[in-house]
Amino acid sequence: MKQELMQDIMSQLSALGLPVEQSDKTDLMIDAELLDATLVSGKKKLKYEAMILLDEGDKTVKMYEKTTEINIGVSFGMSGESSFQSGSTLMRKVKFVQIDATGKVMEFNFDLGAISKTVKAAAAAQGWRFKTVIMKKNAMYR
């Protein structure tokens, strides 16, 4: 049952274009750079990390998520990094439109909420519960 659910989650997340791997720390792990853009005014990166633990004991899928946004700009001589995780913050669409260093218009559009919704739907389809965890250790083997 667990293996079937794990394969289902992996295939659905792969269909979203995310690299999903099995891990020795948790069942499934995602470590992806969703955006890496060089712009006239600097660089912008968006990194996404997730850990998915399938707890057979109580048939619950536990998921930890974190995104990190890095902006390095020359306009003010500043660089910055911010991260946000879990809850309603990740239920957002990231839309980014800029002109790159060559003058080409770049557009990036990704729904971060679709990731956890996909995992939740796969769990529900097989009779498992879904729980978002705030601390990474709660989505790892003990």
Side-chain angles (χ1 to χ4, degrees), residues 59-78:
K59 290 185 74 171
T60 301
V61 175
K62 297 175 182 173
M63 184 171 180
Y64 164 84
E65 298 180 279
K66 179 181 177 184
T67 60
T68 305
E69 192 174 303
I70 302 168
N71 295 299
I72 302 169
V74 294
S75 58
F76 298 108
M78 301 171 73

Side-chain angles (χ1 to χ4, degrees), residues 64-117:
Y64 164 84
E65 298 180 279
K66 179 181 177 184
T67 60
T68 305
E69 192 174 303
I70 302 168
N71 295 299
I72 302 169
V74 294
S75 58
F76 298 108
M78 301 171 73
S79 67
E81 179 176 322
S82 63
S83 66
F84 38 92
Q85 69 182 57
S86 319
S88 60
T89 311
L90 277 176
M91 304 307 167
R92 72 178 186 122
K93 292 183 180 175
V94 178
K95 187 168 184 176
F96 172 76
V97 179
Q98 274 291 347
I99 298 174
D100 71 8
T102 64
K104 182 179 169 187
V105 175
M106 293 179 53
E107 186 172 340
F108 174 79
N109 201 352
F110 195 87
D111 182 2
L112 291 171
I115 301 168
S116 59
K117 286 178 189 172

Side-chain angles (χ1 to χ4, degrees), residues 12-13 17 21 49-50 64 74 87 90 94 97 112-113 118 135 138 140 142:
Q12 289 188 41
L13 291 177
E21 299 176 358
E49 170 187 354
Y64 164 84
V74 294
L90 277 176
V94 178
V97 179
L112 291 171
T118 299
M135 295 171 49
N138 293 333
M140 297 172 72
R142 299 192 185 247

Side-chain angles (χ1 to χ4, degrees), residues 2 20 24 34-35 40 42 60 77-78 84 91 95 101 103-104 114 120-123 125 127 129 135:
K2 177 180 175 177
V20 185
D24 59 347
L34 299 178
L35 176 67
V40 175
T60 301
M78 301 171 73
F84 38 92
M91 304 307 167
K95 187 168 184 176
K104 182 179 169 187
K120 186 176 185 176
R129 293 182 306 163
M135 295 171 49

Side-chain angles (χ1 to χ4, degrees), residues 22-27 29 51 53 139-142:
Q22 292 185 359
S23 169
D24 59 347
K25 297 176 184 175
T26 188
D27 290 310
M29 198 167 172
M51 291 187 151
L53 179 70
M140 297 172 72
Y141 299 134
R142 299 192 185 247

